[in-house]
């Protein structure tokens, strides 16, 4: 019989070194894999059982290290890292590529009329609101009124931004108009993410020591986490919304698309999808998910709270969200 798997593998952390961009990229290629959406509920629950049993010190007979890591990544793709709850299907990071390629492709295709801009910006920000809520940091609940206020504010801000930018580009070259959706998405991310995670900015997110022991809640950590997520999301959208317009602008001048105009949207969606397959994990990898900051950078009262528990601690860690 093969030797039993040791119970000392740290599956609370990713398989690859998260201090390097390459290690983080490998990790997020697994987390954002769209094939995870096709896994059955039974497969997800089996992965949860394997992970929770192993963390508790129980090693199922015959379990290999590859099987353990596969279970860990299935678990991570579907369950929230702080609450342990199963996440909404469309809010999971594995849904980013199929959902965003469809929505972004349509935004880039139907950008000429005001009703189309309104509709697709609303769809995009509604989807973003679900993603931001699903991948929030921390385990504190959000009330329905807080969620509703954040959603309305974020989607209104995004739509107003898109319409304002569209009106400014009326007399500019057509290629400039194609970039209105990207500018609106970038601006909307700066509105949507902080609003959907406003509770973290008011009350803070959990900060821990290196071993995961909770030390308190910090608004300074929340600010850093949300800033990193905004940068990642804008970077994620940039290739998908910057490259296809250039290609489509050239193709629309050729006879092929003039003869088959109905291929415009499928081509646009396909180009966006190709960009997102790589941009999504690579931009998620810009910052470690288990982010860190110096104790001296936290709020004074949080510093005092931590000093009472561990006077020599210099660095705290937190889940930045995605």
């Amino acid at each position: 019989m093969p030797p039993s798997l040791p119970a000392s593998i740290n599956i609370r952390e990713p398989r690859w070194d998260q201090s390097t961009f390459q290690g983080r990229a490998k990790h997020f290629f697994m987390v954002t894999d769209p094939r995870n959406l096709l896994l059955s509920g039974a497969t997800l629950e089996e992965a949860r059982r394997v992970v929770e049993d192993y963390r508790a010190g129980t090693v199922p007979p015959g379990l290999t290290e590859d099987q353990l890591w596969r279970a860990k990544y299935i678990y991570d793709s579907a369950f929230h890292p702080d609450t342990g709850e199963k996440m909404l299907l469309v809010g999971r990071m594995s849904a980013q590529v199929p959902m965003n390629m469809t929505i972004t492709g349509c935004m880039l295709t139907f950008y000429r009329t005001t009703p189309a801009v309104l509709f697709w910006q609303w769809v995009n920000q509604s989807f973003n609101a679900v993603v931001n809520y699903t991948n929030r940091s921390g385990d504190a609940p959000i009330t329905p009124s807080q969620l509703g206020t954040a959603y309305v504010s974020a989607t209104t801000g995004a739509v107003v931004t898109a319409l304002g930018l569209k009106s400014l580009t009326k007399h500019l070259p057509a290629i400039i108009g194609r970039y209105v959706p990207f500018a609106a998405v970038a601006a909307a991310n700066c509105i949507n993410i902080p609003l959907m995670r406003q509770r973290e900015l008011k009350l803070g997110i959990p900060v821990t020591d290196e071993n995961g022991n909770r030390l308190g809640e910090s608004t300074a950590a929340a600010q850093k986490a949300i800033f990193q997520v905004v940068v990642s999301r804008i970077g994620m959208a940039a290739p998908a919304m910057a490259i296809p317009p250039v290609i489509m602008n050239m193709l629309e001048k050729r006879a092929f698309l003039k003869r088959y105009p109905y291929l415009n949207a499928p081509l646009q969606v396909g180009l966006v999808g190709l960009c997102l397959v790589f941009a999504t994990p690579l931009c998620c990898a810009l910052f470690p998910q288990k982010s860190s900051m110096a104790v001296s950078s936290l709020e004074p009262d949080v510093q005092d709270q931590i000093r009472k528990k561990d006077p020599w601690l210099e660095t705290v860690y937190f889940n930045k969200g995605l």
Side-chain angles (χ1 to χ4, degrees):
M1 290 183 64
S4 179
L5 192 66
S8 56
I9 300 172
N10 184 12
I11 59 168
R12 294 187 182 277
E13 301 295 334
R15 187 172 192 175
W16 296 280
D17 181 7
Q18 296 299 284
S19 66
T20 69
F21 178 77
Q22 183 180 16
R24 295 195 296 272
K26 288 180 179 179
H27 167 69
F28 281 110
F29 267 107
M30 294 288 289
V31 171
T32 62
D33 187 342
R35 292 174 296 180
N36 291 333
L37 294 174
L38 304 176
L39 299 173
S40 67
T43 301
L44 297 180
E45 290 303 324
E46 174 63 15
R48 193 220 289 258
R49 183 189 65 78
V50 170
V51 167
E52 291 180 347
D53 284 354
Y54 188 85
R55 286 176 178 172
T58 302
V59 183
L63 182 70
T64 67
E65 185 173 353
D66 284 342
Q67 289 172 336
L68 174 63
W69 282 112
R70 173 62 180 155
K72 181 249 190 318
Y73 275 102
I74 290 175
Y75 175 85
D76 285 353
S77 75
F79 297 93
H80 192 278
D82 291 328
T83 66
E85 297 175 352
K86 186 182 288 187
M87 294 184 287
L88 296 168
L89 187 69
V90 297
R92 298 174 193 172
M93 292 309 292
S94 48
Q96 282 286 295
V97 172
M99 291 296 294
N100 268 329
M101 68 182 284
T102 304
I103 296 171
T104 304
C106 289
M107 279 198 296
L108 293 174
T109 303
F110 309 110
Y111 67 93
R112 291 184 174 90
T113 67
T114 298
V117 170
L118 277 169
F119 177 74
W120 286 109
Q121 285 294 331
W122 170 74
V123 170
N124 186 51
Q125 293 312 313
S126 297
F127 170 65
N128 283 344
V130 173
V131 173
N132 295 336
Y133 172 74
T134 303
N135 294 281
R136 68 198 183 280
S137 176
D139 51 11
I142 299 175
T143 65
S145 62
Q146 289 173 328
L147 192 60
T149 301
Y151 168 72
V152 171
S153 302
T155 50
T156 301
V159 168
V160 169
T161 301
L163 292 177
L165 290 169
K166 183 178 182 297
S167 66
L168 291 174
T169 59
K170 280 182 179 178
H171 305 295
L172 296 176
I175 186 66
I176 302 298
R178 286 182 177 274
Y179 286 100
V180 166
F182 171 62
V185 166
N189 273 322
C190 298
I191 301 169
N192 197 322
I193 295 171
L195 280 172
M196 290 305 293
R197 295 175 61 174
Q198 61 181 291
R199 192 185 187 285
E200 300 170 35
L201 293 171
K202 292 177 182 176
L203 303 178
I205 58 176
V207 292
T208 69
D209 60 19
E210 193 173 7
N211 299 316
N213 299 309
R214 192 162 176 163
L215 303 171
E217 286 76 36
S218 168
T219 55
Q223 291 168 11
K224 181 176 180 179
I226 290 170
F227 172 77
Q228 290 179 341
V229 171
V230 169
V231 172
S232 295
R233 293 288 187 83
I234 293 174
M236 200 183 296
M241 302 191 81
I243 297 172
V246 175
I247 297 173
M248 293 304 298
N249 202 55
M250 291 189 297
L251 289 178
E252 285 182 358
K253 295 175 182 177
R254 306 289 176 86
F256 178 73
L257 269 187
K258 289 180 179 178
R259 187 180 304 169
Y260 305 106
Y262 55 85
L263 292 177
N264 191 307
L267 272 173
Q268 194 109 243
V269 170
L271 285 169
V272 169
L274 183 63
C275 293
L276 285 172
V277 165
F278 297 98
T280 300
L282 292 177
C283 288
C284 283
L286 289 175
F287 306 100
Q289 184 165 357
K290 184 181 179 181
S291 195
S292 63
M293 65 189 303
V295 173
S296 59
S297 299
L298 301 174
E299 310 91 293
D301 60 319
V302 180
Q303 290 185 43
D304 293 340
Q305 185 179 340
I306 292 172
R307 296 295 181 214
K308 290 176 183 177
K309 296 179 181 178
D310 188 343
W312 310 111
L313 189 69
E314 295 183 355
T315 305
V316 293
Y317 300 86
F318 54 91
N319 168 31
K320 72 174 176 66
L322 288 172

